[in-house]
Amino acid sequence: MLRYLTLRIAQSIVTVLLVTMIIFVIIRLIGDPTHLMLPPEATEADRELLRQQMGLSDPVAVQYWRYLLQLLHGDMGMSYRFSLPALDVVLGRIGPTLLLTCTSLAIGILVGVPLGVASAVRPDGWIDFVAKAIALFGQAAPPFFFGLIFVLVFAVQLRWLPTSGYGGPQYLIMPAIALGWYSAAGLMRLTRSNMMEVLTSEYVRMARIKGVPERVVVYKHALKNAALPVLTFASLQFGILMGGAVSIESVFAWPGMGKLILDSIANLDYAVVQAAVTVSALMFTAINLAVDLLYAYIDPRIRYA
Amino acid sequence: MSDLLRVENLTTWLATESGIITAVDDVSFSVRPGRALALVGESGSGKSMTCSSIMRLLPASGHIAGGRVLFEGEDLLAKSPAEMEAIRGRKIGMIVQDPMTSLNPLFDVEDQVGEVFRYHLGDRSRRARRPKVLDVLSRVQIPAAEKRLGSYPHEFSGGMRQRVAIALNIACAPKLLIADEPTTALDVTVQQQILALLRDLQRETGMAIILVTHDLHTVQRFCDEVAIMYAGRIVEQGPVAEIFARPAHPYTEGLLRALPQLGGQEDRLPLIPGQPPSLASLPAGCRFAPRCRRATDLCRTEYPDWMATAGETRRSACWYADEVLG
Ligand SMILES: Nc1ncnc2c1ncn2[C@@H]1O[C@H](COP(=O)(O)OP(=O)(O)O)[C@@H](O)[C@H]1O
Ligand code: SF4
Ligand SMILES: [Mg+2]
């Protein structure tokens, strides 16, 4: 177990390093911020001076190494746009994004998993039919498309909800459902196919042979086994939803990280982009690590391996 | 003595890729309290489907098309799902072939055995169940049972897992235990231990056993009655001693002729030249005819009626049963 844990932590660190390294290089390929930071009439010599001050004239490898050393002290550089530490800028925007992704994931799990179980218990029953329709729509178009339709119907036509903005739950409903629908679709499909398989397993049959009530057979013996891959999938969904949040935040003018990242890329605010990606990657790997531990807690074959 | 279980004209259909097959075809037999009945036949002859039909635990593609399964005089086929839940695990137990897959990998032994007490005897607390769990684990001779309560299936050997499976099936002292090839997946030495355990438990509790097996030596040592299945039907049945001494069906005769040549622990049926027919395309008459050296035109056109032989205790589905009997 200890070996497993060490291995997973090492893997997580490598993942974070790789992701930050990639974004570090890519953002430098996109453009040179000194063009945006200095007035157009500035000379090449002025810009070179600024680049040297910002450390941008060093080789990328050296810059990255410096970035890592600073990172150890929790320093992710300064945002030139906000004149604030990049980390503070990011942390100021992370709350709305987490609220949106966590609510969406909760919707995805609370809708997708029970629907998946119910449709596996009665394949081709009416619940299965409804669930398949929900899944089909959920994966037929990107979340922002549903976001736009919701705005049109519930905000513009019916005037039940505000079109966009941030505040009470009335602002959260549409973006969270638009995003959660997508993950509900995937979770429902995976739960259904896992449950179908597990329900024909020999140990489920043995549970029935024992005369355990069918509800215990389904919700204890079968669901716990079928839930293991669903758990991993859900934790990956978290990353996918953070990505999906970028477009949803634009549609609903949601003041989260998605919008911040887009604006920072447009303004070539390297430090903020790097900080946002580093924080996201850290969060994502931390959640995956937590899910792996949970997995080991549930599955004794891993716990004692 | 009256029958504990009486299967009458049981017929089970199965939807397969090659159409609907009759996996269990007009099968009748009975088991008396405390006795052991062997169900013997080549693989695919319908033994497991017969057991599953009795338990009402067929795969989704299966359907019981007719017959009755009288257990203590009541037809199990007429019971509601809830009534069947109360009977399974309490009055009828069943152990299956592969102990490596028949226990849930995510729950410890105490939980899986304890469930039987919980749902049949209403013992709600784990603490109240523990002495009973320990008792039944020691009855199936699991060493140091108190240390194994928290162990998971993957920590046990195949033989030990089968003991756990037996434990949870005998926990409520069932009247009938169905054992569907309980040793086929195990090592030879372990096979003998499991059979000895079943026999001890039977003596101790007086339960009846239906033993599905390929091993004719086991049938001889273990069972009182035998029913021999071929392509979904029973072709011969009666007391083991009589049938082994004088078979009344050419298929039984073929199986027994090869018997002395087998080692004592061979867990497969002796070879008879040829293959059993596919259930999707059965011959018109006797299903054994293509492999039978006595086959006549009558055999090839009409299925043989049951022939009572040797008094009323035995039956053979062969036109020439009396000649085979000699
Ligand atoms: N789950 C299943 N789905 C479809 N056909 C099956 C299934 N299980 C068994 N069969 C078929 O039913 C027939 C009887 O099988 P079974 O009762 O398992 O035989 P046995 O236990 O004697 O080896 C065989 O032809 C087999 O191929
Ligand atoms: S009925 Fe005919 S073919 Fe069938 S077993 Fe008897 S002799 Fe052989
Ligand atoms: Mg079988």
Side-chain angles (χ1 to χ4, degrees):
Chain A
M1 185 63 217
L2 201 64
R3 248 192 66 203
Y4 172 75
L5 189 62
T6 326
L7 184 75
R8 291 296 290 117
I9 290 177
Q11 279 176 347
S12 308
I13 293 174
V14 171
T15 311
V16 173
L17 284 179
L18 271 178
V19 170
T20 52
M21 199 188 296
I22 289 171
I23 195 70
F24 205 85
V25 171
I26 287 182
I27 183 89
R28 275 162 181 74
L29 292 177
I30 294 178
D32 179 353
T34 55
H35 288 280
L36 297 173
M37 294 169 74
L38 293 177
E41 58 275 18
T43 63
E44 178 57 33
D46 296 335
R47 284 199 291 269
E48 182 54 32
L49 191 66
L50 180 57
R51 272 198 287 269
Q52 273 173 17
Q53 281 172 1
M54 292 175 72
L56 294 176
S57 51
D58 297 327
V60 177
V62 174
Q63 294 182 44
Y64 185 63
W65 179 244
R66 204 159 48 218
Y67 177 71
L68 289 184
L69 290 180
Q70 286 175 355
L71 196 57
L72 288 179
H73 301 102
D75 178 4
M76 296 191 184
M78 291 292 287
S79 159
Y80 84 84
R81 224 156 47 99
F82 297 94
S83 302
L84 283 171
L87 182 59
D88 293 355
V89 174
V90 169
L91 292 183
R93 295 291 202 90
I94 207 167
T97 296
L98 279 182
L99 178 66
L100 178 58
T101 42
C102 290
T103 313
S104 305
L105 190 58
I107 291 175
I109 292 172
L110 292 177
V111 173
V113 172
L115 269 186
V117 172
S119 50
V121 169
R122 279 185 200 284
D124 302 322
W126 70 267
I127 295 184
D128 191 21
F129 182 78
V130 171
K132 272 183 185 149
I134 289 179
L136 197 68
F137 275 105
Q139 293 182 328
F144 76 83
F145 177 76
F146 290 106
L148 290 172
I149 293 196
F150 289 168
V151 170
L152 225 60
V153 175
F154 299 106
V156 177
Q157 292 291 325
L158 298 172
R159 295 176 181 280
W160 288 351
L161 294 164
T163 49
S164 65
Y166 184 66
Q170 72 272 26
Y171 291 97
L172 180 59
I173 293 176
M174 288 195 296
I177 291 180
L179 200 51
W181 193 343
Y182 175 78
S183 73
L187 284 163
M188 131 56 201
R189 278 176 201 262
L190 186 69
T191 306
R192 182 181 187 275
S193 67
N194 281 335
M195 277 299 280
M196 297 274 280
E197 192 184 321
V198 169
L199 280 172
T200 60
S201 71
E202 283 293 306
Y203 54 80
V204 161
R205 191 171 142 84
M206 183 56 91
R208 291 189 173 129
I209 287 172
K210 282 196 276 186
V212 166
E214 187 62 17
R215 116 194 94 78
V216 179
V217 172
V218 172
Y219 290 100
K220 177 179 171 183
H221 288 274
L223 184 56
K224 193 169 181 186
N225 279 277
L228 286 173
V230 175
L231 200 61
T232 309
F233 184 74
S235 77
L236 295 176
Q237 279 285 306
F238 186 78
I240 294 171
L241 289 177
M242 297 252 293
V246 174
S247 59
I248 286 288
E249 284 176 7
S250 306
V251 172
F252 290 93
W254 192 261
M257 284 229 291
K259 203 165 169 325
L260 176 69
I261 292 180
L262 287 183
D263 293 348
S264 302
I265 291 177
N267 289 291
L268 296 169
D269 194 350
Y270 288 2
V272 172
V273 176
Q274 283 160 202
V277 170
T278 308
V279 168
S280 308
L282 278 174
M283 247 170 19
F284 184 59
T285 48
I287 284 175
N288 276 297
L289 199 62
V291 165
D292 277 355
L293 289 179
L294 187 62
Y295 203 112
Y297 172 75
I298 296 176
D299 191 341
R301 288 164 299 187
I302 292 180
R303 205 183 317 157
Y304 299 122
Chain B
M1 202 176 356
S2 73
D3 295 326
L4 174 69
L5 177 77
R6 196 182 170 88
V7 176
E8 292 177 352
N9 311 102
L10 180 66
T11 300
T12 299
W13 291 339
L14 213 49
T16 69
E17 287 113 40
S18 39
I20 291 178
I21 59 171
T22 306
V24 180
D25 193 351
D26 199 21
V27 160
S28 302
F29 59 83
S30 54
V31 187
R32 280 176 287 167
R35 298 299 193 95
L37 168 86
L39 218 47
V40 175
E42 273 158 305
S43 141
S45 57
K47 307 179 297 292
S48 295
M49 284 297 145
T50 303
C51 299
S52 303
S53 302
I54 295 170
M55 292 295 270
R56 298 255 314 268
L57 285 176
L58 288 171
S61 56
H63 171 74
I64 298 177
R68 295 202 296 171
V69 176
L70 298 170
F71 180 76
E72 295 184 320
E74 292 175 36
D75 188 2
L76 296 185
L77 302 186
K79 299 269 180 202
S80 72
E83 287 171 327
M84 279 312 292
E85 276 170 8
I87 289 171
R88 282 187 216 118
R90 172 151 198 181
K91 296 196 157 176
I92 307 179
M94 173 152 141
I95 44 179
V96 292
Q97 191 166 335
D98 189 1
M100 302 315 269
T101 56
S102 63
L103 297 174
N104 195 321
L106 302 187
F107 296 96
D108 65 23
V109 164
E110 180 172 15
D111 186 293
Q112 298 195 50
V113 177
E115 269 190 329
V116 186
F117 298 117
R118 167 154 190 193
Y119 295 109
H120 288 306
L121 305 183
D123 294 328
R124 305 229 59 173
S125 89
R126 201 169 159 107
R127 186 134 50 90
R129 294 193 294 261
R130 179 161 293 179
K132 297 185 187 178
V133 172
L134 276 175
D135 176 59
V136 72
L137 287 180
S138 66
R139 281 175 59 211
V140 297
Q141 294 156 23
I142 289 181
E146 62 286 353
K147 291 207 192 81
R148 306 307 304 261
L149 286 175
S151 298
Y152 290 86
H154 74 278
E155 299 172 80
F156 287 93
S157 67
M160 282 298 150
R161 290 190 207 193
Q162 196 63 298
R163 284 173 196 270
V164 173
I166 294 173
L168 49 87
N169 274 291
I170 61 154
C172 290
K175 299 268 175 48
L176 173 67
L177 181 69
I178 300 173
D180 187 358
E181 300 193 40
T183 62
T184 306
L186 303 174
D187 292 343
V188 177
T189 48
V190 182
Q191 292 183 357
Q192 297 309 313
Q193 293 167 5
I194 294 290
L195 283 171
L197 172 66
L198 286 176
R199 155 167 277 176
D200 290 349
L201 289 170
Q202 188 188 21
R203 288 212 184 105
E204 199 180 300
T205 64
M207 66 185 174
I209 290 185
I210 295 176
L211 179 70
V212 177
T213 178
H214 286 304
D215 183 3
L216 296 173
H217 289 282
T218 300
V219 174
Q220 216 165 8
R221 262 176 291 157
F222 197 91
C223 299
D224 309 291
E225 311 265 323
V226 58
I228 296 179
M229 287 192 78
Y230 191 80
R233 292 220 183 195
I234 291 179
V235 292
E236 175 162 21
Q237 65 194 112
V240 170
E242 290 177 34
I243 286 184
F244 274 53
R246 289 169 71 215
H249 191 284
Y251 181 57
T252 321
E253 196 182 38
L255 294 179
L256 292 174
R257 192 175 311 116
L259 186 61
Q261 295 135 34
L262 292 174
Q265 300 173 334
E266 199 75 11
D267 198 16
R268 62 187 167 89
L269 281 180
L271 277 176
I272 296 174
Q275 293 276 320
S278 153
L279 292 179
S281 55
L282 288 170
C286 173
R287 289 167 192 185
F288 188 59
R291 297 164 85 183
C292 181
R293 59 187 177 89
R294 297 178 192 257
T296 63
D297 284 343
L298 171 65
C299 305
R300 277 182 280 267
T301 49
E302 259 182 86
Y303 193 86
D305 279 334
W306 278 113
M307 302 284 169
T309 53
E312 288 301 307
T313 57
R314 298 178 52 182
R315 302 203 298 168
S316 162
C318 172
W319 291 121
Y320 305 105
D322 284 330
E323 288 172 31
V324 181
L325 204 58

